[in-house]
Amino acid sequence: MPTPPPNWSQIARSSSALHFHLLGMVDFDSGQRLQEQLLEELLARDDTKGYALFCEHPATVTIGRQGSRADLLAEPVDFTAREMPTQWINRPGGTWVHTPGQLAAYVLLPIDRKGWSLLEHRTRLETALVSLATEFKAPALSHPESPGLAGRCGQFAFIGTGCRRGITHQGMFINVSIPPPALRLVDWGTHDGRVSTLAAHRRAPTALSSVREAFVRHLAAALDYPRYHLTTGHPSLRRTVRKVYVFTQPAAHSA
C-alpha cells in the first residue's frame, strides 16, 4: 500500500524551529515594519516558532524609554549634515547610534509558550552574548544597570528587548567595528560612561560576517532551539532608498 503524501499544510502550521533571516542593510523603519508583521503572525499561532532578524542599519539614532534629547552630544546641524534621523522608539534602553559595522539582532519569540519570563529571556540573550565573546577570545561581563556586555574598553553590546502579549520584540545591538566618531555622538547610558566595540576589545580587525555566523549558533543554543533555519532576506521586507552617511576609520599612522 503506497505511503500517503505528507500533509504539508498541517506541517506549516506547527513549528518548533527558530528562523534566522539575514537581511543585510535595512533602513530602520523597514526593519520595524517587518517586526510588526512577524509579531502578528506569531500571535496567531499556537506553537513555539520564533524569528531572529539579523541586519545592519544606515546611520540612525534611536532614543528608547530610558533616553532623552539630553543624550545627544552633537549639535542638531551635525546630525543633519550626516543625514542621521533621530527616532523615538518604545523599547527599553537609552539613546543609541546605529550604523554599518553594528550587528542588529531582533528576536521574536513566544516566551509564554516557552514558559519563560521576560527576565529569563533577557538572561538567555546575555548568555548568547557571553558565549560569542568567549569564542572571539574577548571575555566580557554583563551589568544590571546597562543590559548587554562590557569588556575592558567599555560596553559593546546592548540589549533592549520587550514583550507584547507574550511575544518578544526588538533585541540586541553589537558594536562590532564602528569608528570612534560615531560612538561619541550620544551618551549611550552605560553604567560607567564608556562605550566601545568588539574589535577594540580584541585589539584585532573583526569581520561582522564572522560575528554573525557565530552568533547564529550561540543564540539558537541559548534560546533552546535545537532546530533552526537560515535564510537570506525575507519576502515581506519592503526596503526604502535614502542617502547613507558612512563613518570612516581614522587612518593608521606609520612610525
Side-chain angles (χ1 to χ4, degrees):
M1 183 176 180
T3 303
N7 185 344
W8 293 112
S9 61
Q10 180 61 35
I11 293 174
R13 287 196 299 267
S14 179
S15 173
S16 59
L18 182 59
H19 295 254
F20 288 91
H21 290 271
L22 311 184
L23 304 178
M25 185 68 65
V26 177
D27 67 280
F28 195 81
D29 286 340
S30 295
Q32 295 300 300
R33 286 193 294 268
L34 179 58
Q35 280 193 79
E36 289 292 332
Q37 181 174 336
L38 297 179
L39 190 148
E40 291 299 323
E41 177 201 325
L42 294 181
L43 283 172
R45 303 178 69 94
D46 59 5
D47 54 18
T48 57
K49 179 181 181 179
Y51 285 108
L53 311 177
F54 283 10
C55 66
E56 294 177 84
H57 291 305
T60 305
V61 174
T62 61
I63 303 177
R65 293 199 295 270
Q66 284 74 50
S68 72
R69 287 200 180 275
D71 298 330
L72 304 179
L73 303 181
E75 296 296 327
V77 66
D78 295 321
F79 291 102
T80 301
R82 294 183 172 95
E83 302 193 38
M84 292 181 67
T86 299
Q87 308 221 20
W88 296 82
I89 181 170
N90 185 25
R91 61 148 171 80
T95 303
W96 300 335
V97 168
H98 313 289
T99 187
Q102 178 191 77
L103 177 62
Y106 298 110
V107 181
L108 297 97
L109 296 183
I111 57 172
D112 281 3
R113 296 171 212 151
K114 299 276 283 183
W116 303 343
S117 65
L118 182 57
L119 177 60
E120 180 174 352
H121 174 65
R122 289 173 178 166
T123 300
R124 287 174 178 268
L125 297 183
E126 287 187 338
T127 297
L129 289 171
V130 169
S131 298
L132 174 72
T134 300
E135 177 170 333
F136 279 81
K137 296 180 173 58
L141 298 172
S142 60
H143 193 281
E145 293 182 17
S146 47
L149 211 60
R152 58 182 181 79
C153 299
Q155 188 165 342
F156 61 85
F158 297 79
I159 296 177
T161 186
C163 185
R164 188 189 309 171
R165 295 161 58 189
I167 308 294
T168 63
H169 59 101
Q170 303 304 326
M172 297 161 285
F173 301 97
I174 305 171
N175 294 341
V176 178
S177 183
I178 297 178
L183 299 177
R184 294 193 290 264
L185 288 173
V186 305
D187 180 347
W188 293 67
T190 62
H191 69 281
D192 62 359
R194 298 185 304 153
V195 62
S196 187
T197 66
L198 178 60
H201 186 42
R202 299 180 65 232
R203 292 182 177 175
T206 306
L208 188 139
S209 57
S210 299
V211 173
R212 183 181 58 198
E213 183 275 330
F215 200 43
V216 166
R217 293 183 279 103
H218 293 302
L219 188 59
L223 296 175
D224 194 24
Y225 278 93
R227 294 177 55 247
Y228 62 87
H229 305 296
L230 199 60
T231 305
T232 300
H234 192 283
S236 297
L237 180 62
R238 298 292 178 264
R239 301 176 188 269
T240 59
V241 178
R242 70 174 177 89
K243 292 181 180 179
V244 175
Y245 182 88
V246 178
F247 291 90
T248 57
Q249 295 281 2
H253 297 285
S254 57

